[in-house]
Structure formats: structure tokens, C-alpha cells
Amino acid sequence: MSGNAVQSAGTRLFLSTTALCTTEAQYKALAWTEVEEIEDIGAFGETFEKVTYKTLGDGAVHKKKGTVDYGSGTLKLARVPTGAGQTAIRAAAKNRKAAYNIKIEFDDAPDGGTPTTIYLRAYVMSYTTEIGSNDKVIEASVGLEIDAEPIEVAADEA
């Protein structure tokens, strides 16, 4: 049953270059620049390290969950180097020291409401150009490394 599934079309991604946030209220107060012409945001999410130890008594390997990694993602863009969002994300890729605020909005807002929104903090690790072959536009790939637990805010009828 597909009931409440949300399609990817209409999803938007924004970047903020201001001070890093840790709460939903801080993220909501920011000024955001939309990154233009995104084709694919990719997959991201938390993964835990596997911790193992072996006991003599039962001769077995025992497992626990260790350190969490909040993941990474690769954005695929139709390259528009003069766009404000792509200019900002290219500049972020050159900054070796700072993480950036990212906002992802789904296209699932109820009439008059707000969409599902994911806020996260990430380092922009790369911005590469992909020329490709005939019958393609020139693309860019942007590597993100998420540095804190994302905050997801459900769509609301407001």
C-alpha cells in the first residue's frame, strides 16, 4: 500500500553560511540560499560501528553498537556556476575549517501548511565537474559529510 509515500520531485535543498545550529529554533531563524538544479540528493543517515569481543567461556563473538556516524551524501547538480546557491556551495567546498547548515524540504506540505524538513550540519568536502558524453548537461557532484545528528521536523497543517 503506497498510502502516504512522498515522491522525490519537488524536494529542495538550501545552504546557510551563518553560525552553526544545534536546535530546530536556531535553524528556523536562519537565512537560506537554495542550491539550484539539484538532480539527486543521495542517501544519508546514521550508521553505528560494530564493537566485538570474544569470550573464553562460550567461545563466541559478542557484539555491541559503538560510535555513531551520521553519514554522508553526494549531491548531483546540473552545473550552474553563476547561481547563488551553487556559488555558495562551491565556496563552502574550499573552506577547510567550517561546517555549514543544510536544510532539505520535501514537497509534502498540507494545504496552507509546512513541509517535512530535515536540518543538518555538514562539511562540504568536494565540488567536482562531470562533463559526460553527448545528450547530457554538464553536471557537478558535491560531497557532504554530516557532522551532527540531523533534526527532522514533520509536515504540519499549521
Side-chain angles (χ1 to χ4, degrees), residues 10-71:
T11 299
R12 301 164 59 202
L13 183 137
F14 303 81
L15 178 76
S16 178
T17 59
T18 56
L20 293 178
C21 299
T22 57
T23 68
E24 178 183 339
Q26 290 172 330
Y27 280 113
K28 285 184 173 182
L30 295 178
W32 296 96
T33 302
E34 184 171 2
V35 178
E36 308 86 359
E37 302 295 328
I38 293 180
E39 295 179 38
D40 190 338
I41 292 175
F44 61 90
E46 63 188 24
T47 303
F48 290 85
E49 292 293 323
K50 178 174 67 172
V51 176
T52 63
Y53 62 98
K54 300 173 185 174
T55 55
L56 294 173
D58 62 5
V61 175
H62 300 275
K63 299 173 184 173
K64 302 285 184 188
K65 287 172 74 172
T67 310
V68 66
D69 180 342
Y70 292 109

Side-chain angles (χ1 to χ4, degrees), residues 73-141:
T74 301
L75 307 178
K76 293 292 245 180
L77 315 170
R79 188 175 184 274
V80 183
T82 56
Q86 288 197 27
T87 297
I89 211 155
R90 270 194 343 271
K94 292 180 184 212
N95 186 333
R96 296 176 61 94
K97 297 180 181 179
Y100 291 84
N101 299 303
I102 307 279
K103 174 173 76 168
I104 301 168
E105 288 183 349
F106 298 166
D107 188 20
D108 65 348
D111 288 340
T114 58
T116 299
T117 304
I118 299 172
Y119 297 105
L120 54 93
R121 181 172 68 219
Y123 286 92
V124 181
M125 302 300 286
S126 62
Y127 180 98
T128 59
T129 299
E130 299 175 25
I131 296 170
S133 60
N134 293 331
D135 301 323
K136 288 191 60 109
V137 298
I138 296 174
E139 297 176 329
S141 287

